[in-house]
Amino acid sequence: MNAPLAAALTAPNPPASSLAPAIDAAATALEQAVIAWRRDLHQHPELGNREFRTAGIVASHLQKLGFDEIRSGVAHTGVVGLLKGALPGPVVALRADMDGLPVAEETHFPFTSKARAQFNGEEVGVMHACGHDCHVAILMGVAEILAGLRSQLKGSVKFIFQPAEEMPPEGEDGGAEMMVREGALEKPTPGAIFGLHVTSRQPVGEIGWRSGPTMASSDKLRIDVHGRQTHGAAPWLGVDPIVTAAQVVLGLQTVVSRTQDITQEPAVVTIGAIRGGVRENIIPDSVTMRGTIRTFNEDMRDDIHERITTLSEAIGKGSRATCRVCITKNYPVTINDPALTEAMLPTLQRVGGEGKVVNVPKITGSEDFSFFQRVVPGLFVFLGVTAPGVDPKTAAPNHSPRFTVDEAALVTGVRMLAHLAVDWLEAKRS
Ligand SMILES: [Zn+2]
Ligand SMILES: [Zn+2]
């Protein structure tokens, strides 16, 4: 941690906005409504690019609150609302993702999801296993609170409800990148954007933050190894793609360990699937491998891609096979703007309270909030949802069919985003 961050963390009296007491009172009053919204959304989860019901609920909520502008259908099902304060000031954005996952829920609540849907040609159970139901309910709560305070609000708040954070279905476009392309951050362009993610890794109500690279880039790797089919008893008559694939898998282990300066940032190269061959005495024509690449630095990301490609191709050539490498860039590194993080730490401290705001390690998972951060400075923070008495290390993690949220965290989430937005507006204005 650098010196200014340490100083900000220990500041005795973090400055609060003029609306702070009103925000906290309104959040307490709204807590039960936010929980009810979350339960309804939880019981009716929708997959990426299919968030029709969710988007409808969000849009009519913003309408009811008298928002100045509401754009629906952004990047398929996204909703962007603008709330103009009565007083002049800058623009800040808040983002919530809305999609559920193809996971069959295994919890036992009255609001447990029994939803089913088609996903990539298969029928699947659908669950808010990543907690995006919480994100939507929290942001609806923030919208209601700030709409109630608009006569004293100094500037505007843009509310971004985003589809398909967990990737759109195969063959479709979507998510944050598409929202940016469709102008979600234009007219007006915010000066900063804030978002949060609920996590099983922290106890309920605890806030996790990090400056700089926070979540990894995520890229998809596919390698096709082509040899020449032959009898398993006479390998010299063909070209064995299975042994070549094995050499490629081992070769890839050297990309991070032998070529990257791991004192700067960590990185991961994983092969998660290998397919080739049908029986013991046939050497097949080809093998297909799939994997994932995670980095925390865009230059390292490009370098690793280049090395995976050249090394695989060279190993193929050495075996007289061919390796075709295809890397698809999914999400960039989630980078929390250091100046913005430092400026907002007192807000997090005040919202979380003593001992409940922690500097968290990097996460090798990824987030398409990073696409918004490429356009405007952004801060993405974590909110613990694991119940007291449950060890966050062994709690069912996000994406598990048993992922469980302690709803006492929701009011903290509402307060956090509301205070971040208003504190930033007032600090920017003065
Ligand atoms: Zn997720
Ligand atoms: Zn998520």
Side-chain angles (χ1 to χ4, degrees):
M1 197 187 310
N2 64 30
L5 282 179
L9 266 177
T10 53
N13 294 307
S17 72
S18 59
L19 299 183
I23 289 172
D24 287 336
T28 304
L30 204 58
E31 181 172 9
Q32 291 313 313
V34 173
I35 290 172
W37 295 333
R38 183 258 161 176
R39 290 183 180 187
D40 173 64
L41 294 165
H42 190 86
Q43 201 170 0
H44 302 96
E46 296 170 297
L47 292 172
N49 284 358
R50 306 288 184 274
E51 304 92 336
F52 305 113
R53 178 182 184 272
T54 310
I57 289 170
V58 165
S60 65
H61 183 66
L62 302 186
Q63 200 109 47
K64 189 194 82 191
L65 297 174
F67 265 52
D68 299 272
E69 291 167 27
I70 302 165
R71 271 183 73 197
S72 289
V74 184
H76 301 302
T77 54
V79 180
V80 180
L82 186 68
L83 179 72
K84 293 181 184 165
L87 307 170
V91 183
V92 68
L94 300 173
R95 173 273 207 171
D97 42 8
M98 304 191 289
D99 52 329
L101 281 163
V103 172
E105 182 156 5
E106 292 176 17
T107 69
H108 302 285
F109 296 103
F111 52 88
T112 289
S113 164
K114 295 180 177 62
R116 300 190 70 77
Q118 287 291 315
F119 180 68
N120 294 341
E122 237 182 287
E123 198 193 288
V124 293
V126 186
M127 174 190 178
H128 268 298
C130 203
H132 299 182
D133 50 337
C134 301
H135 305 168
V136 174
I138 286 170
L139 199 52
M140 284 170 65
V142 176
E144 183 149 342
I145 290 171
L146 297 187
L149 296 171
R150 71 191 293 169
S151 64
Q152 303 157 67
L153 192 62
K154 297 162 183 156
S156 301
V157 186
K158 189 175 249 194
F159 290 76
I160 299 176
F161 291 88
Q162 183 211 304
E165 192 284 324
E166 305 278 4
M167 304 284 297
E170 264 171 39
E172 292 182 30
D173 202 353
E177 186 179 26
M178 190 173 178
M179 286 199 98
V180 170
R181 225 166 42 234
E182 294 194 356
L185 293 179
E186 291 161 29
K187 298 180 191 167
T189 296
I193 183 164
F194 298 107
L196 65 77
H197 208 300
V198 296
T199 174
S200 67
R201 300 182 213 211
Q202 292 180 256
V204 58
E206 189 178 277
I207 295 170
W209 66 275
R210 186 167 186 88
S211 184
T214 297
M215 296 181 76
S217 61
S218 166
D219 301 314
K220 204 159 79 177
L221 169 64
R222 182 190 163 118
I223 304 177
D224 292 305
V225 186
H226 287 279
R228 198 171 66 250
Q229 187 159 327
T230 182
H231 199 294
W236 57 89
L237 296 177
V239 174
D240 188 344
I242 289 189
V243 171
T244 308
Q247 288 178 314
V248 170
V249 171
L250 291 179
L252 293 182
Q253 307 311 307
T254 66
V255 171
V256 174
S257 73
R258 304 294 88 175
T259 72
Q260 301 301 306
D261 182 353
I262 55 157
T263 65
Q264 301 306 305
E265 293 292 352
V268 178
V269 177
T270 290
I271 294 294
I274 304 185
R275 294 251 151 73
V278 288
R279 59 177 289 171
E280 74 279 6
N281 62 354
I282 302 173
I283 291 171
D285 250 341
S286 63
V287 169
T288 298
M289 298 188 279
R290 291 167 186 275
T292 188
I293 305 161
R294 308 294 167 117
T295 73
F296 290 90
N297 173 292
E298 294 292 337
D299 292 335
M300 275 172 86
R301 184 187 191 191
D302 291 340
D303 188 54
I304 288 171
H305 289 187
E306 197 272 325
R307 286 175 187 274
I308 285 174
T309 305
T310 53
L311 184 62
S312 304
E313 287 174 354
I315 289 171
K317 200 167 174 218
S319 312
R320 300 194 179 172
T322 55
C323 287
R324 208 172 49 233
V325 179
C326 178
I327 297 172
T328 311
K329 284 188 161 186
N330 287 341
Y331 296 165
V333 184
T334 300
I335 300 174
N336 284 334
D337 184 86
L340 182 66
T341 308
E342 188 183 320
M344 303 321 296
L345 258 177
T347 302
L348 298 182
Q349 291 285 101
R350 206 179 57 245
V351 170
E354 189 75 28
K356 297 201 82 178
V357 181
V358 296
N359 188 214
V360 291
K362 292 187 175 89
I363 293 171
T364 49
S366 64
E367 238 303 328
D368 73 350
F369 186 78
S370 50
F371 283 111
F372 295 121
Q373 290 173 314
R374 281 191 160 182
V375 183
V376 297
L379 174 60
F380 193 69
V381 291
F382 304 96
L383 175 63
V385 293
T386 291
V390 180
D391 183 354
K393 286 198 193 78
T394 54
N398 294 54
H399 289 209
S400 158
R402 289 171 298 281
F403 176 65
T404 302
V405 168
D406 184 330
E407 292 166 330
L410 298 181
V411 69
T412 306
V414 170
R415 290 176 57 236
M416 177 152 65
L417 290 185
H419 283 295
L420 282 170
V422 177
D423 286 4
W424 185 87
L425 286 176
E426 292 197 2
K428 194 75 184 167
R429 190 169 170 267
S430 58

